[in-house]
């Protein structure tokens, strides 16, 4: 395409030897060049190439937006389902099991490895809300794990402490840390309840947008 354009430009700008003294002949030369099928073929071909390039870019961008929206929908749905499993187990056993926390963390890491693709969500508010969902979930998971770690430490220390005063202190610390962990699990549950259907429906609508 570039070589054709260069050739056409050379053709249009070539010197009009033999016609310089006769302006009428020079004008007819330009008219002949500008009305030739060859030149108009180049112009039409160039316009068609531009149109095809624009359409191809639009289709590629649209497909990418749909792919990223579907990816976020699937990941959010999976995380919300895992949070619900954590909540069901917590209600049933009054315990927070690390297996559930680690599974949710693995899903968060999938998001982290693909975070740069969120730029395809050109709806700024939607992109911000999706990012906030993952960020808040990750922060709560980190807090829960830390609080459980301190709970286990204090609980073990209370079992090994012969002094009754210190033993009670460790028990109070353990109870406080466990209570904080459960509060953060409540917050995790609330995030799931608030965002599961809302975000997934908005992502579904976004993926169906024409532009």
């Amino acid at each position: 395409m570039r070589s054709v354009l260069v050739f056409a430009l050379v053709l249009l700008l070539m010197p009009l030897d033999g016609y310089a003294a006769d302006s009428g002949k020079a004008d007819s030369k330009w008219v002949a060049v500008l009305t030739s099928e060859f030149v108009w073929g180049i112009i039409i071909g160039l316009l068609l190439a531009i149109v095809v390039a624009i359409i191809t870019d639009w289709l590629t961008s649209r497909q990418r937006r749909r792919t990223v929206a579907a990816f976020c929908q699937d990941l959010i749905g999976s995380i919300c389902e895992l949070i619900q499993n954590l909540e069901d187990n917590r209600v049933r056993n009054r315990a927070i099991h690390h297996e559930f926390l680690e599974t949710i963390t693995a899903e968060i890491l999938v998001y982290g490895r693909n975070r740069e693709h969120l730029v395809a969500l050109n709806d700024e508010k939607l992109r911000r809300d999706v990012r906030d969902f993952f960020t808040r979930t990750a922060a709560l998971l980190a807090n829960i794990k830390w609080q459980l770690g301190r709970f286990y430490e204090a609980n073990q220390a209370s079992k090994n402490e012969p002094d009754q005063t210190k033993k009670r202190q460790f028990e109070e610390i353990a109870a406080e840390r466990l209570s904080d962990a459960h509060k953060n699990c409540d917050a995790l549950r609330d995030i799931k309840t608030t965002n599961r259907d809302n975000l997934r429906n908005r992502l579904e609508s976004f993926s169906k947008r024409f532009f």
Side-chain angles (χ1 to χ4, degrees):
M1 176 62 71
R2 183 180 298 176
S3 61
V4 173
L5 291 176
V6 171
F7 179 74
L9 184 63
V10 171
L11 180 65
L12 291 172
L13 297 180
M14 63 183 181
L16 301 176
D17 295 337
Y19 295 92
D22 190 339
S23 59
K25 290 184 178 180
D27 291 340
S28 64
K29 171 65 174 181
W30 283 108
V31 171
V33 170
L34 294 175
T35 57
S36 68
E37 293 182 1
F38 176 73
V39 171
W40 279 105
I42 292 175
I43 294 173
I44 293 173
L46 177 60
L47 292 175
L48 287 175
I50 292 173
V51 171
V52 169
I54 292 173
I55 293 175
T56 301
D57 180 68
W58 172 74
L59 289 174
T60 302
S61 299
R62 186 174 183 227
Q63 183 58 44
R64 187 184 179 204
R65 290 197 302 271
R66 287 183 169 185
T67 300
V68 173
F71 167 77
C72 290
Q73 276 183 283
D74 181 69
L75 200 55
I76 290 171
S78 177
I79 289 174
C80 288
E81 183 177 346
L82 291 170
I83 291 174
Q84 186 60 54
N85 292 339
L86 170 67
E87 180 63 17
D88 292 342
N89 181 78
R90 189 167 68 101
V91 171
R92 185 169 54 250
N93 301 316
R94 294 303 301 166
I96 304 172
H97 290 153
H98 272 282
E99 292 82 359
F100 292 101
L101 299 177
E102 293 304 327
T103 306
I104 299 172
T105 300
E107 295 290 291
I108 293 293
L109 291 175
V110 172
Y111 159 76
R113 290 193 295 270
N114 295 277
R115 185 177 181 274
E116 68 275 10
H117 296 297
L118 280 186
V119 295
L121 301 179
N122 54 4
D123 183 322
E124 184 177 348
K125 187 177 187 308
L126 177 60
R127 183 172 65 249
R128 183 178 63 249
D129 291 344
V130 169
R131 184 176 60 246
D132 287 349
F133 170 83
F134 289 108
T135 302
R136 291 172 60 198
T137 300
L140 287 171
L141 284 172
N143 285 337
I144 293 169
K145 290 179 180 180
W146 183 85
Q147 288 152 356
L148 288 179
R150 304 295 78 76
F151 161 73
Y152 293 134
E153 290 176 1
N155 189 54
Q156 188 62 40
S158 70
K159 293 178 180 179
N160 298 332
E161 180 57 58
D163 185 280
Q164 291 302 310
T165 301
K166 291 183 179 180
K167 184 181 183 69
R168 283 193 297 272
Q169 290 176 345
F170 282 125
E171 289 174 346
E172 290 174 359
I173 293 173
E176 182 181 353
R177 294 308 180 198
L178 184 59
S179 175
D180 289 341
H182 277 289
K183 288 178 182 178
N184 278 283
C185 283
D186 291 339
L188 202 59
R189 177 199 60 207
D190 294 341
I191 286 179
K192 182 268 300 182
T193 302
T194 304
N195 292 281
R196 179 179 59 187
D197 294 333
N198 177 38
L199 273 181
R200 295 186 72 190
N201 290 338
R202 288 168 62 193
L203 285 164
E204 178 69 23
S205 298
F206 175 83
S207 67
K208 294 179 179 178
R209 280 169 44 179
F210 192 71
F211 289 102

